[in-house]
Amino acid sequence: MAIILKNVAQVEKMRKASRVVIEAFELLESIIAPGITTREMDGAVEKFIKMSGAIPSFKNYRGFPKSACISINEQVIHGIPGSRKLVEGDIVSIDIGAYKDGYHGDAARTFAVGKISDDAQRLIDVTRQSFFEGIKYAKKGHFIADISGAIQSYAEGQGMSIVREFVGHGVGAALHEAPEIPNFRDKKRGPRLQPGMTLAIEPMVNLGTHEVVILEDEWTVVTADGELSAHYENTVLITDGEPEILTIR
């Protein structure tokens, strides 16, 4: 699959889609609290995205039934919203996409629910920082592997592990475009970065083993040892200089 470089007009459309994602997370941050159900959170996200003139990227994508992926504690990604209520001490990872004027914005965050353990907070912080370590290399002339290696080195240097089975990806008119963006080193350097590339870079970091299991719903991914997991993702534009993070205000 060829990598699609975006022109100025296309990037502007991606900025608009990404802005919807930013504002959806701001809404979620204001309502996340013990007692709220993941279904209620999903409903709020869907309503907001539609009111913003966009379409939830994830709803019915490859059969996913909801508008947001909401994953709690040992759930890594692709949690299906339902009747489960958040409780004090949980951490909740939420992945949101918005499709507007023909382009997607895609991002994920992990939130604390009330007071959480020191280990849980450290996991959230390390996961977020691993993204920022990676995008130090999200510049023209570097390779995808430079981003991947920096993410892995930082997370593992903090005593945590990187999920291998799921990776980041290009994003644009399609939710998943080339190239794949591992959060770990593999044998390939991947493509050289060029201005106009738009990448969804998304570390998934576990407190224990990197191994994961997919549950019987065929969507929800959990850590094999039941330890906590966190997720942090942004849509990033490669430029002639510093990368532009489209999903951060």
Side-chain angles (χ1 to χ4, degrees):
M1 188 186 303
I3 295 171
I4 302 169
L5 302 181
K6 313 307 187 297
N7 61 33
V8 171
Q10 292 167 329
V11 168
E12 185 55 35
K13 289 181 178 180
M14 291 191 68
R15 287 194 184 100
K16 290 179 180 178
S18 295
R19 198 169 301 129
V20 175
V21 173
I22 292 169
E23 292 172 356
F25 276 120
E26 291 173 348
L27 169 64
L28 279 171
E29 196 165 15
S30 73
I31 65 172
I32 288 174
I36 193 170
T37 68
T38 55
R39 181 183 292 118
E40 289 169 333
M41 294 160 62
D42 179 73
V45 168
E46 180 170 339
K47 180 178 179 182
F48 177 81
I49 290 174
K50 289 179 175 178
M51 286 179 60
S52 301
I55 297 169
S57 299
F58 300 162
K59 192 162 190 180
N60 300 318
Y61 181 73
R62 298 179 180 173
F64 188 78
K66 299 293 184 177
S67 295
C69 298
I70 304 180
S71 307
I72 301 172
N73 296 335
E74 78 284 356
Q75 296 175 346
V76 181
I77 51 172
H78 300 162
I80 301 174
S83 60
R84 181 172 176 175
K85 293 182 179 181
L86 299 184
V87 300
E88 183 92 10
D90 282 343
I91 63 172
V92 55
S93 299
I94 306 170
D95 196 349
I96 298 173
Y99 182 69
K100 185 177 176 69
D101 297 332
Y103 286 85
H104 296 271
D106 185 9
R109 303 285 187 267
T110 300
F111 296 96
V113 182
K115 182 174 176 56
I116 62 174
S117 69
D118 291 344
D119 281 348
Q121 185 61 58
R122 186 164 172 269
L123 173 65
I124 292 173
D125 294 343
V126 167
T127 304
R128 182 181 186 277
Q129 187 57 36
S130 69
F131 166 86
F132 285 100
E133 294 298 319
I135 67 161
K136 291 177 181 178
Y137 298 91
K139 298 178 183 179
K140 178 176 67 173
H142 284 290
F143 290 89
I144 291 293
D146 298 325
I147 298 173
S148 305
I151 290 170
Q152 182 179 17
S153 291
Y154 181 77
E156 291 183 350
Q158 299 298 314
M160 299 182 187
S161 64
I162 288 286
V163 172
R164 264 83 165 159
E165 285 82 356
F166 299 89
V167 298
H169 52 91
V171 61
L175 182 58
H176 289 90
E177 297 182 349
E180 288 191 342
I181 308 163
N183 298 304
F184 54 93
R185 295 178 189 85
D186 61 12
K187 296 178 181 179
K188 300 176 182 178
R189 291 193 299 178
R192 190 186 293 272
L193 300 176
Q194 303 175 58
M197 292 173 71
T198 44
L199 310 175
I201 301 171
E202 50 177 322
M204 290 154 264
V205 179
N206 296 346
L207 203 55
T209 179
H210 67 82
E211 295 176 347
V212 299
V213 176
I214 300 175
L215 299 185
E216 289 183 0
D217 63 18
E218 298 183 347
W219 279 106
T220 309
V221 179
V222 301
T223 58
D225 58 4
E227 290 281 7
L228 298 176
S229 184
H231 187 195
Y232 188 84
E233 174 186 21
N234 282 301
T235 299
V236 178
L237 170 67
I238 306 301
T239 74
D240 282 313
E242 294 296 317
E244 180 183 348
I245 305 174
L246 301 183
T247 45
I248 289 181
R249 190 180 292 280

CSV table of all heavy atoms in Angstrom, one decimal, residues 87-122:
chain,number,residue,atom,x,y,z
A,87,VAL,N,-15.2,2.9,38.6
A,87,VAL,CA,-15.1,3.0,40.0
A,87,VAL,C,-13.8,3.8,40.4
A,87,VAL,O,-12.8,3.8,39.6
A,87,VAL,CB,-15.1,1.6,40.7
A,87,VAL,CG1,-16.4,0.9,40.4
A,87,VAL,CG2,-13.9,0.8,40.3
A,88,GLU,N,-13.8,4.3,41.6
A,88,GLU,CA,-12.6,5.0,42.1
A,88,GLU,C,-11.3,4.1,42.0
A,88,GLU,O,-11.4,2.9,42.4
A,88,GLU,CB,-12.8,5.4,43.6
A,88,GLU,CG,-11.7,6.2,44.2
A,88,GLU,CD,-11.8,7.7,44.1
A,88,GLU,OE1,-12.9,8.1,43.7
A,88,GLU,OE2,-10.9,8.4,44.4
A,89,GLY,N,-10.3,4.6,41.4
A,89,GLY,CA,-9.0,3.9,41.3
A,89,GLY,C,-8.8,3.3,39.9
A,89,GLY,O,-7.7,2.8,39.6
A,90,ASP,N,-9.9,3.2,39.1
A,90,ASP,CA,-9.7,2.7,37.7
A,90,ASP,C,-8.8,3.7,36.9
A,90,ASP,O,-8.8,4.9,37.2
A,90,ASP,CB,-11.1,2.7,37.0
A,90,ASP,CG,-11.9,1.5,37.4
A,90,ASP,OD1,-11.4,0.5,38.0
A,90,ASP,OD2,-13.1,1.5,37.1
A,91,ILE,N,-8.2,3.1,35.9
A,91,ILE,CA,-7.7,3.9,34.8
A,91,ILE,C,-8.5,3.5,33.5
A,91,ILE,O,-8.8,2.3,33.4
A,91,ILE,CB,-6.2,3.8,34.6
A,91,ILE,CG1,-5.8,2.4,34.2
A,91,ILE,CG2,-5.5,4.3,35.8
A,91,ILE,CD1,-4.3,2.3,33.8
A,92,VAL,N,-8.8,4.5,32.7
A,92,VAL,CA,-9.7,4.2,31.5
A,92,VAL,C,-9.0,4.8,30.3
A,92,VAL,O,-8.7,6.0,30.2
A,92,VAL,CB,-11.1,4.7,31.7
A,92,VAL,CG1,-11.2,6.2,32.1
A,92,VAL,CG2,-12.0,4.4,30.5
A,93,SER,N,-8.7,4.0,29.3
A,93,SER,CA,-8.1,4.4,28.0
A,93,SER,C,-9.3,4.5,27.0
A,93,SER,O,-10.1,3.6,26.8
A,93,SER,CB,-7.1,3.3,27.5
A,93,SER,OG,-6.1,3.2,28.5
A,94,ILE,N,-9.3,5.7,26.3
A,94,ILE,CA,-10.3,6.0,25.4
A,94,ILE,C,-9.7,6.4,24.1
A,94,ILE,O,-8.8,7.2,24.0
A,94,ILE,CB,-11.2,7.1,25.9
A,94,ILE,CG1,-11.7,6.8,27.3
A,94,ILE,CG2,-12.4,7.4,25.0
A,94,ILE,CD1,-12.4,7.9,28.0
A,95,ASP,N,-10.2,5.7,23.0
A,95,ASP,CA,-9.7,6.0,21.6
A,95,ASP,C,-10.9,6.5,20.8
A,95,ASP,O,-11.9,5.9,20.8
A,95,ASP,CB,-9.2,4.6,21.0
A,95,ASP,CG,-8.3,4.8,19.8
A,95,ASP,OD1,-8.2,6.0,19.3
A,95,ASP,OD2,-7.7,3.8,19.4
A,96,ILE,N,-10.6,7.7,20.2
A,96,ILE,CA,-11.7,8.4,19.5
A,96,ILE,C,-11.2,8.8,18.1
A,96,ILE,O,-10.1,9.2,17.9
A,96,ILE,CB,-12.1,9.7,20.2
A,96,ILE,CG1,-12.7,9.3,21.6
A,96,ILE,CG2,-13.2,10.4,19.4
A,96,ILE,CD1,-13.0,10.6,22.4
A,97,GLY,N,-12.1,8.6,17.1
A,97,GLY,CA,-11.8,9.1,15.8
A,97,GLY,C,-13.0,9.9,15.3
A,97,GLY,O,-14.2,9.6,15.6
A,98,ALA,N,-12.7,11.0,14.5
A,98,ALA,CA,-13.8,11.8,13.9
A,98,ALA,C,-13.5,11.9,12.4
A,98,ALA,O,-12.4,12.2,12.0
A,98,ALA,CB,-13.9,13.1,14.6
A,99,TYR,N,-14.5,11.8,11.6
A,99,TYR,CA,-14.4,11.9,10.1
A,99,TYR,C,-15.2,13.1,9.7
A,99,TYR,O,-16.4,13.2,9.9
A,99,TYR,CB,-15.0,10.6,9.5
A,99,TYR,CG,-14.9,10.5,8.0
A,99,TYR,CD1,-13.7,10.4,7.4
A,99,TYR,CD2,-16.1,10.5,7.2
A,99,TYR,CE1,-13.6,10.3,6.0
A,99,TYR,CE2,-16.0,10.4,5.9
A,99,TYR,CZ,-14.8,10.3,5.2
A,99,TYR,OH,-14.7,10.2,3.9
A,100,LYS,N,-14.5,14.0,9.1
A,100,LYS,CA,-15.2,15.3,8.7
A,100,LYS,C,-14.6,15.8,7.4
A,100,LYS,O,-13.4,15.8,7.2
A,100,LYS,CB,-14.9,16.4,9.8
A,100,LYS,CG,-15.6,17.7,9.6
A,100,LYS,CD,-15.3,18.6,10.8
A,100,LYS,CE,-15.9,20.0,10.6
A,100,LYS,NZ,-17.4,20.0,10.7
A,101,ASP,N,-15.5,16.1,6.5
A,101,ASP,CA,-15.1,16.6,5.2
A,101,ASP,C,-14.1,15.7,4.5
A,101,ASP,O,-13.1,16.1,3.8
A,101,ASP,CB,-14.5,18.0,5.3
A,101,ASP,CG,-15.5,19.0,5.8
A,101,ASP,OD1,-16.7,18.8,5.5
A,101,ASP,OD2,-15.0,20.0,6.4
A,102,GLY,N,-14.3,14.4,4.7
A,102,GLY,CA,-13.5,13.4,3.9
A,102,GLY,C,-12.2,12.9,4.6
A,102,GLY,O,-11.5,12.2,4.0
A,103,TYR,N,-12.0,13.4,5.8
A,103,TYR,CA,-10.7,13.1,6.5
A,103,TYR,C,-10.9,12.8,8.0
A,103,TYR,O,-11.9,13.3,8.6
A,103,TYR,CB,-9.6,14.2,6.3
A,103,TYR,CG,-9.1,14.2,4.9
A,103,TYR,CD1,-9.8,14.9,3.9
A,103,TYR,CD2,-8.0,13.5,4.6
A,103,TYR,CE1,-9.3,14.8,2.6
A,103,TYR,CE2,-7.5,13.5,3.3
A,103,TYR,CZ,-8.2,14.1,2.3
A,103,TYR,OH,-7.7,14.1,1.0
A,104,HIS,N,-10.0,11.9,8.5
A,104,HIS,CA,-10.1,11.5,9.9
A,104,HIS,C,-9.1,12.2,10.8
A,104,HIS,O,-8.0,12.5,10.3
A,104,HIS,CB,-9.8,10.0,10.0
A,104,HIS,CG,-10.8,9.1,9.3
A,104,HIS,ND1,-11.9,8.6,9.9
A,104,HIS,CD2,-10.8,8.6,8.0
A,104,HIS,CE1,-12.6,7.9,9.1
A,104,HIS,NE2,-11.9,7.8,7.9
A,105,GLY,N,-9.5,12.4,12.0
A,105,GLY,CA,-8.5,12.6,13.1
A,105,GLY,C,-8.7,11.5,14.1
A,105,GLY,O,-9.8,11.0,14.3
A,106,ASP,N,-7.6,11.1,14.7
A,106,ASP,CA,-7.5,9.9,15.6
A,106,ASP,C,-6.6,10.1,16.8
A,106,ASP,O,-5.5,10.6,16.6
A,106,ASP,CB,-7.0,8.7,14.7
A,106,ASP,CG,-7.1,7.4,15.4
A,106,ASP,OD1,-7.7,7.3,16.5
A,106,ASP,OD2,-6.6,6.4,14.8
A,107,ALA,N,-7.1,9.8,18.0
A,107,ALA,CA,-6.3,10.0,19.2
A,107,ALA,C,-6.8,9.1,20.3
A,107,ALA,O,-7.9,8.7,20.3
A,107,ALA,CB,-6.3,11.5,19.6
A,108,ALA,N,-5.9,8.9,21.3
A,108,ALA,CA,-6.3,8.1,22.5
A,108,ALA,C,-5.7,8.8,23.7
A,108,ALA,O,-4.6,9.4,23.6
A,108,ALA,CB,-5.9,6.7,22.3
A,109,ARG,N,-6.3,8.6,24.8
A,109,ARG,CA,-5.8,9.1,26.1
A,109,ARG,C,-6.2,8.1,27.2
A,109,ARG,O,-7.2,7.4,27.1
A,109,ARG,CB,-6.5,10.4,26.5
A,109,ARG,CG,-6.3,11.6,25.5
A,109,ARG,CD,-5.0,12.2,25.5
A,109,ARG,NE,-4.8,13.3,24.7
A,109,ARG,CZ,-4.5,13.3,23.4
A,109,ARG,NH1,-4.1,12.2,22.8
A,109,ARG,NH2,-4.4,14.4,22.7
A,110,THR,N,-5.4,8.1,28.2
A,110,THR,CA,-5.7,7.3,29.4
A,110,THR,C,-6.0,8.2,30.6
A,110,THR,O,-5.1,9.1,30.9
A,110,THR,CB,-4.7,6.2,29.8
A,110,THR,OG1,-4.5,5.4,28.7
A,110,THR,CG2,-5.0,5.4,31.0
A,111,PHE,N,-7.1,8.1,31.2
A,111,PHE,CA,-7.5,9.0,32.3
A,111,PHE,C,-7.6,8.2,33.7
A,111,PHE,O,-7.9,7.0,33.7
A,111,PHE,CB,-8.9,9.5,32.1
A,111,PHE,CG,-9.0,10.4,30.8
A,111,PHE,CD1,-9.5,9.8,29.6
A,111,PHE,CD2,-8.7,11.7,30.9
A,111,PHE,CE1,-9.6,10.6,28.5
A,111,PHE,CE2,-8.8,12.5,29.7
A,111,PHE,CZ,-9.3,12.0,28.5
A,112,ALA,N,-7.3,9.0,34.7
A,112,ALA,CA,-7.5,8.5,36.1
A,112,ALA,C,-8.9,8.7,36.5
A,112,ALA,O,-9.5,9.7,36.2
A,112,ALA,CB,-6.6,9.2,37.0
A,113,VAL,N,-9.5,7.7,37.2
A,113,VAL,CA,-10.8,7.8,37.8
A,113,VAL,C,-10.7,8.1,39.3
A,113,VAL,O,-10.4,7.1,40.0
A,113,VAL,CB,-11.7,6.6,37.5
A,113,VAL,CG1,-13.1,6.8,38.0
A,113,VAL,CG2,-11.7,6.3,36.0
A,114,GLY,N,-10.8,9.3,39.7
A,114,GLY,CA,-10.6,9.7,41.1
A,114,GLY,C,-9.2,9.5,41.5
A,114,GLY,O,-8.2,9.7,40.7
A,115,LYS,N,-8.9,9.0,42.7
A,115,LYS,CA,-7.6,8.8,43.2
A,115,LYS,C,-7.1,7.4,42.8
A,115,LYS,O,-7.8,6.4,43.0
A,115,LYS,CB,-7.5,8.9,44.7
A,115,LYS,CG,-6.1,8.7,45.3
A,115,LYS,CD,-6.1,9.0,46.8
A,115,LYS,CE,-4.7,8.7,47.4
A,115,LYS,NZ,-3.7,9.5,46.8
A,116,ILE,N,-5.9,7.3,42.1
A,116,ILE,CA,-5.4,6.1,41.6
A,116,ILE,C,-4.1,5.8,42.3
A,116,ILE,O,-3.5,6.6,43.0
A,116,ILE,CB,-5.2,6.1,40.1
A,116,ILE,CG1,-4.2,7.1,39.6
A,116,ILE,CG2,-6.6,6.3,39.4
A,116,ILE,CD1,-3.9,7.1,38.1
A,117,SER,N,-3.6,4.5,42.1
A,117,SER,CA,-2.4,4.1,42.7
A,117,SER,C,-1.2,4.8,42.1
A,117,SER,O,-1.3,5.3,41.0
A,117,SER,CB,-2.2,2.6,42.6
A,117,SER,OG,-1.9,2.3,41.2
A,118,ASP,N,-0.1,4.9,42.8
A,118,ASP,CA,1.2,5.5,42.3
A,118,ASP,C,1.6,4.7,41.0
A,118,ASP,O,2.1,5.3,40.1
A,118,ASP,CB,2.3,5.4,43.3
A,118,ASP,CG,2.0,6.4,44.5
A,118,ASP,OD1,1.1,7.3,44.4
A,118,ASP,OD2,2.7,6.2,45.5
A,119,ASP,N,1.5,3.4,41.0
A,119,ASP,CA,1.9,2.6,39.9
A,119,ASP,C,1.0,3.0,38.6
A,119,ASP,O,1.5,3.1,37.5
A,119,ASP,CB,1.8,1.1,40.1
A,119,ASP,CG,3.0,0.6,40.9
A,119,ASP,OD1,4.0,1.3,41.1
A,119,ASP,OD2,2.9,-0.6,41.4
A,120,ALA,N,-0.3,3.1,38.9
A,120,ALA,CA,-1.2,3.5,37.8
A,120,ALA,C,-0.8,4.8,37.2
A,120,ALA,O,-0.8,5.0,36.0
A,120,ALA,CB,-2.6,3.4,38.2
A,121,GLN,N,-0.6,5.8,38.1
A,121,GLN,CA,-0.3,7.1,37.6
A,121,GLN,C,1.1,7.1,36.8
A,121,GLN,O,1.2,7.8,35.8
A,121,GLN,CB,-0.2,8.1,38.8
A,121,GLN,CG,0.0,9.6,38.3
A,121,GLN,CD,-1.1,10.1,37.4
A,121,GLN,OE1,-2.3,10.1,37.9
A,121,GLN,NE2,-0.8,10.5,36.2
A,122,ARG,N,2.0,6.4,37.3
A,122,ARG,CA,3.3,6.3,36.7
A,122,ARG,C,3.2,5.7,35.3
A,122,ARG,O,3.8,6.1,34.3
A,122,ARG,CB,4.3,5.5,37.5
A,122,ARG,CG,5.7,5.5,36.9
A,122,ARG,CD,6.7,5.1,38.0
A,122,ARG,NE,8.0,4.9,37.4
A,122,ARG,CZ,8.5,3.8,36.8
A,122,ARG,NH1,7.7,2.7,36.9
A,122,ARG,NH2,9.7,3.7,36.3
